[in-house]
Amino acid sequence: MVKVRQQPLFNRRYLMILIWVLPIVILILHRAGQQPSPLDQIHWQKALGYLMPDKRSGYQLKLILPLQNTASDEAWVANQSVERALAQRLESPSVQQRLNEIQWQARLERRSHYRSVIFHMANAPRHEQIQSIVSILSQPAPVDWSALQKRLQAERYLDSQSAEDRLLAAFGDQLRTNTHAADLYAGLWTTPLRHILIGEGLNNSDTSVPPTADGVPLSTPQAGTLIIPATGSRLDTRWELLAQPIPAPHDGASLARQRLGAELVSHLLSRMAPADADYRWLWHPLATGGYRALLLHQWTAPLPDGDRLAEQLDQALLDEVRSTLLNQLDLLEAQTPEQWLDLVALYRMPLDSHTAFRATLESLNLTQARQLLTDTLMPAQSLHIRFNTAGH
């Protein structure tokens, strides 16, 4: 009887190959099963603007209208005048008639850094339809600017009498800001406009490049200390302000650095604050350049400039804040990707800025993060504003 020698199913060489190959196969299969990210599908067409496919029924067209700095009283009044004029224009008979003709619905929405006019329609809009609506909206607003501004000045006076508001207004007065409402309204419609279109079947057949950031020059006030009158008998003059203007983020990397720096400052201030002190930390990025400001109340310790903040940063806090921001990006990407597209259009960032945002957050080490903080609220570039009281 012939004996047959049984060979093992796998010899050592096959096992070694499997150890290296299987993880690669699993990774490929995992990625193949994933749905493409909505942010990876953002593209741009010259006729329609920024586009993002969406499986929901209907289409949404959004006009992103940047806000100017509203820190000063005059700038706030001018921006509010423009917003109310725009709301009035949307309700005008000429706009409503055109919307009815093309079966669109419109509403005005305000965010902290921009306004948007949002149109909803059943079918994909044509370029000529968008042009016709923009043409009507861009006509001079039929408002009495002088009367409107007087009413808003009264509102501003009643609503901004706190010490914090007075300090911010004093800082805003140092910035170069256009406060002519009629000019601001006309400036909303300068080309290229920031269009966003979301809906089904938006293919990427156009290879043209979207517009880049405007490169608005930064308005830098004289650094140092400014003493302002302590008007109002009930004003809490124990508040003070440390502020500086900042450029608009122009890509995902610069947005990530600004956002990370702002979050780190917020966490570090709680470690540095004296027992009875209070504070408000503001990061206000705008397409025309914004500001970051620190409002301090009864702050008996040295002012928390960038160097002092950097000294307090450790690896644990950096990792915690980084993880939080990355998780927020994941959540936004999965649930509300249109919010990211708003930022791309607002700041005119590259289409792949979400990739640069993530990569920048993941790659920043402790030394680089400390440098971010050092560059925040630098004394040589900051304005320190205090009230003129009897104790000074």
Side-chain angles (χ1 to χ4, degrees):
M1 184 176 180
V2 179
K3 294 183 178 179
V4 179
R5 183 181 178 185
Q6 294 183 349
Q7 296 288 338
L9 182 60
F10 297 106
N11 61 30
R12 180 175 297 179
R13 177 179 297 176
Y14 292 152
L15 289 173
M16 291 298 296
I17 292 174
L18 285 174
I19 289 173
W20 288 100
V21 171
L22 276 178
I24 298 174
V25 173
I26 292 172
L27 180 60
I28 292 174
L29 291 175
H30 174 69
R31 290 183 175 178
Q34 288 181 328
Q35 294 295 322
S37 166
L39 300 185
D40 292 332
Q41 301 179 69
I42 293 174
H43 52 285
W44 192 83
Q45 290 185 13
K46 188 174 182 179
L48 298 175
Y50 299 91
L51 309 179
M52 186 171 68
D54 189 281
K55 294 182 179 179
R56 289 172 290 186
S57 62
Y59 292 82
Q60 177 180 280
L61 173 69
K62 185 181 295 187
L63 305 182
I64 301 293
L65 307 173
L67 270 174
Q68 288 214 23
N69 210 322
T70 59
S72 72
D73 293 336
E74 289 187 359
W76 183 90
V77 168
N79 274 278
Q80 284 294 314
S81 299
V82 169
E83 186 169 320
R84 298 194 187 190
L86 180 56
Q88 183 174 330
R89 169 63 81 186
L90 283 171
E91 296 297 327
S92 67
S94 58
V95 172
Q96 290 299 312
Q97 179 181 348
R98 182 55 181 151
L99 291 174
N100 290 332
E101 290 172 352
I102 58 181
Q103 297 182 337
W104 289 10
Q105 295 178 328
R107 61 186 172 90
L108 178 62
E109 188 175 88
R110 191 182 193 278
R111 301 285 184 176
S112 58
H113 306 136
Y114 61 94
R115 310 174 196 88
S116 56
V117 182
I118 303 174
F119 302 95
H120 294 276
M121 65 283 297
N123 302 309
R126 300 190 304 274
H127 178 55
E128 57 269 22
Q129 291 176 324
I130 300 174
Q131 283 186 314
S132 68
I133 286 293
V134 170
S135 176
I136 299 173
L137 290 175
S138 63
Q139 294 172 11
V143 298
D144 184 339
W145 291 111
S146 178
L148 177 58
Q149 288 184 309
K150 286 180 180 178
R151 292 198 303 271
L152 288 168
Q153 286 168 353
E155 288 185 24
R156 177 67 170 179
Y157 177 80
L158 293 174
D159 295 339
S160 62
Q161 292 306 302
S162 69
E164 302 99 295
D165 291 332
R166 293 298 86 220
L167 288 168
L168 280 172
F171 174 68
D173 287 338
Q174 308 302 310
L175 304 176
R176 294 190 303 271
T177 305
N178 187 353
T179 58
H180 298 285
D183 293 342
L184 286 177
Y185 188 90
L188 293 178
W189 315 106
T190 56
T191 55
L193 289 177
R194 295 164 167 87
H195 297 169
I196 290 174
L197 180 60
I198 300 173
E200 291 185 298
L202 300 176
N203 59 65
N204 190 9
S205 58
D206 191 338
T207 58
S208 56
V209 179
T212 56
D214 298 330
V216 178
L218 190 64
S219 176
T220 305
Q222 183 70 36
T225 300
L226 177 66
I227 308 296
I228 62 174
T231 57
S233 59
R234 303 177 69 178
L235 198 67
D236 187 346
T237 57
R238 293 171 296 178
W239 284 93
E240 55 189 320
L241 175 73
L242 191 66
Q244 69 180 86
I246 55 174
H250 58 273
D251 56 20
S254 61
L255 179 59
R257 288 191 290 267
Q258 281 199 27
R259 179 66 188 278
L260 179 63
E263 292 293 331
L264 289 174
V265 171
S266 179
H267 284 75
L268 290 168
L269 286 172
S270 63
R271 297 183 177 183
M272 302 172 60
D276 297 328
D278 192 11
Y279 62 87
R280 286 174 55 198
W281 166 240
L282 306 175
W283 172 57
H284 201 61
L286 295 167
T288 55
Y291 62 88
R292 49 193 170 209
L294 180 57
L295 286 153
L296 303 171
H297 186 245
Q298 297 190 126
W299 195 278
T300 55
L303 293 178
D305 61 29
D307 287 335
R308 291 188 177 91
L309 292 167
E311 292 171 359
Q312 298 294 321
L313 180 62
D314 53 38
Q315 188 67 49
L317 178 59
L318 173 59
D319 291 341
E320 176 189 344
V321 173
R322 186 208 320 268
S323 177
T324 298
L325 293 178
L326 289 171
N327 288 337
Q328 290 175 355
L329 178 61
D330 290 338
L331 189 64
L332 181 147
E333 188 170 3
Q335 297 183 3
T336 55
E338 62 274 10
Q339 291 185 14
W340 182 268
L341 184 52
D342 283 3
L343 298 181
V344 171
L346 174 65
Y347 299 121
R348 289 184 171 146
M349 299 189 298
L351 299 178
D352 62 349
S353 288
H354 62 288
T355 302
F357 184 90
R358 185 184 299 276
T360 301
L361 287 179
E362 292 176 338
S363 63
L364 275 171
N365 58 35
L366 183 59
T367 300
Q368 293 168 327
R370 284 174 174 162
Q371 186 61 50
L372 275 181
L373 293 171
T374 297
D375 296 338
T376 300
L377 298 178
M378 299 173 64
Q381 300 175 6
S382 301
L383 182 61
H384 180 207
I385 305 179
R386 296 185 290 113
F387 289 106
N388 183 15
T389 61
H392 294 289

